[in-house]
Amino acid sequence: MHLTTAGRPRDSEIDEAVLRATVELLETDGYLGLTIGGVAERAGTTKPAVYRRWPTKAHLVHAAVFPPQDFRAIRAGRDLRADIRTLVRLALELLGRPAARAALPGLLAESVADSSVAAEVLGQAAGGTFAWLDRRLAEGVAAGEVRAGVRAVTVFELAAGAAFVASATRPDAINKQWIDETVDLIVRGIAP
């Protein structure tokens, strides 16, 4: 169980039911069709219970579709290309899911309309993906594989952007060759 800011125990079963209902409704109704009321009904709870946990629809959708990744389990190796391949494959796995494809256009629109949403969403990634990638790039600079000044956010955007566009527009084109070409472009782009 989690504690709310008021100190009252939070029922993790409600959290899980709401997140599961959000993913299901995204897959059937899309981002625009998803409502907090619909999520609450499907999860067997109330709208106020949902809003106590997530202040906006964008926050809820982000939590359901893009849970925090534990990059501590991913060990950076001695092969930069293999580590970038891991990043691209994770992006494909995450962004290629039906709920993610349904959520991203709405989340992007919400981020443009409200910069605080974008800041919070990116802030959540900062501790996981960006921290792992920062460490890996620093190792690459020290080994002479990466030019100084390459930022983790830029490499992340290259991998995630390519994965999202390909997943959304040409999912049948995603194969070993597509991954190899994408990894090659990123690695050559960050080389000294």
Side-chain angles (χ1 to χ4, degrees):
M1 283 198 191
H2 305 287
L3 291 181
T4 62
T5 55
R8 205 172 82 185
R10 197 164 96 177
D11 187 342
S12 62
E13 288 182 19
I14 292 175
D15 293 3
E16 292 168 18
V18 168
L19 294 172
R20 188 173 43 254
T22 301
V23 168
E24 291 168 359
L25 289 171
L26 279 167
E27 291 176 359
T28 59
D29 300 347
Y31 188 87
L32 292 177
L34 183 136
T35 65
I36 297 297
V39 168
E41 182 178 329
R42 187 175 205 127
T45 191
T46 64
K47 284 172 52 173
V50 174
Y51 280 119
R52 275 194 299 274
R53 290 160 169 82
W54 298 279
T56 68
K57 175 177 158 177
H59 287 90
L60 170 60
V61 168
H62 186 270
V65 178
F66 304 112
Q69 302 293 308
D70 187 3
F71 280 83
R72 291 173 299 188
I74 302 171
R75 295 194 183 274
R78 294 180 187 258
D79 182 355
L80 178 66
R81 183 174 301 279
D83 291 339
I84 297 297
R85 177 180 301 282
T86 297
L87 180 68
V88 170
R89 291 184 69 213
L90 288 172
L92 283 169
E93 289 172 19
L94 189 62
L95 299 171
R97 294 176 300 142
R101 286 196 313 270
L104 270 172
L107 286 174
L108 291 172
E110 297 260 359
S111 295
V112 170
D114 183 352
S115 61
S116 69
V117 170
E120 280 190 51
V121 167
L122 280 177
Q124 291 174 10
T129 311
F130 295 160
W132 174 82
L133 196 49
D134 270 335
R135 284 191 304 276
R136 183 57 185 100
L137 293 174
E139 291 169 6
V141 169
E145 302 173 298
V146 176
R147 75 175 180 281
V150 172
R151 297 180 323 137
V153 67
T154 304
V155 177
F156 172 81
E157 288 168 349
L158 290 169
F164 172 62
V165 171
S167 294
T169 63
R170 305 179 315 125
D172 295 340
I174 298 171
N175 55 29
K176 183 183 180 310
Q177 180 181 352
W178 183 92
I179 293 171
D180 288 343
E181 290 172 355
T182 303
V183 169
D184 187 54
L185 287 170
I186 294 170
V187 170
R188 282 192 289 147
I190 64 176

